[in-house]
Amino acid sequence: MTSDHGPGPVLITGGHDTDLDDRLTEELIAFNSAATGAHDRGAFSVKVLDEAGELVGGLTAATWGGLCGIELLWVREGSREDGWGGRILGAAEAEARRRGCDRVAVSSFTFQAPGFYRRHGYAETGRIPGIPGGHADVHLLKSLTAPAATPH
């Protein structure tokens, strides 16, 4: 952790700070709501547990202003061919619709799952190059008002 101890406010750089995360989220939601009139519905999650209570996979997302942003989606290696990714994604999209969202956004590195999202009706909106190994961060968007695409 480093800090700048000059007169007045103190600038501190350190590890992950969940209290700071919570405060920044609260402040930005208030600012965004005042500027747009849209009100936050907040974060949600979807998870799958096996018979032993172990995590098969899950997703975290947040909704605001008619947009659902998927933050994380993961399925354990031995369960990836069982369709859990699609079922988890479908449950998240259903929750987003329930919350009044008309679109879902996600990003995925080229070595992760952009093809998975495309098979589920997501369209690439841009990419950021420069990820190690010659990869890119692919940004995708899906309209929830269009007819649902059938995965291949």
Side-chain angles (χ1 to χ4, degrees):
M1 178 185 299
T2 61
S3 65
D4 173 4
H5 291 291
V10 177
L11 177 65
I12 301 169
T13 303
H16 183 74
D17 183 333
T18 55
D19 290 336
L20 179 60
D21 251 4
D22 292 346
R23 177 67 186 274
L24 294 178
T25 298
E26 177 184 311
E27 295 293 344
L28 285 170
I29 288 169
F31 178 86
N32 294 348
S33 294
T36 65
H39 297 285
D40 179 61
R41 292 295 304 260
F44 71 91
S45 64
V46 177
K47 67 180 172 181
V48 177
L49 303 176
D50 66 16
E51 303 80 23
E54 296 295 320
L55 186 65
V56 172
L59 173 148
T60 58
T63 59
W64 183 83
L67 175 68
C68 174
I70 296 173
E71 296 165 359
L72 301 169
L73 189 157
W74 173 84
V75 176
R76 71 182 180 200
E77 191 169 341
S79 300
R80 292 184 185 150
E81 299 301 319
D82 298 335
W84 284 114
R87 285 183 264 184
I88 291 167
L89 185 59
E93 291 172 357
E95 177 63 13
R97 281 186 186 94
R98 189 186 72 71
R99 291 167 173 241
C101 294
D102 61 2
R103 60 209 184 287
V104 182
V106 65
S107 73
S108 179
F109 295 130
T110 50
F111 60 86
Q112 290 176 324
F116 164 81
Y117 290 107
R118 285 187 195 99
R119 286 190 303 276
H120 288 276
Y122 288 73
E124 183 174 329
T125 59
R127 56 177 59 206
I128 300 171
I131 304 302
H135 294 284
D137 186 3
V138 180
H139 295 259
L140 302 115
L141 184 70
K142 180 178 181 177
S143 170
L144 295 179
T145 58
T150 304
H152 299 78

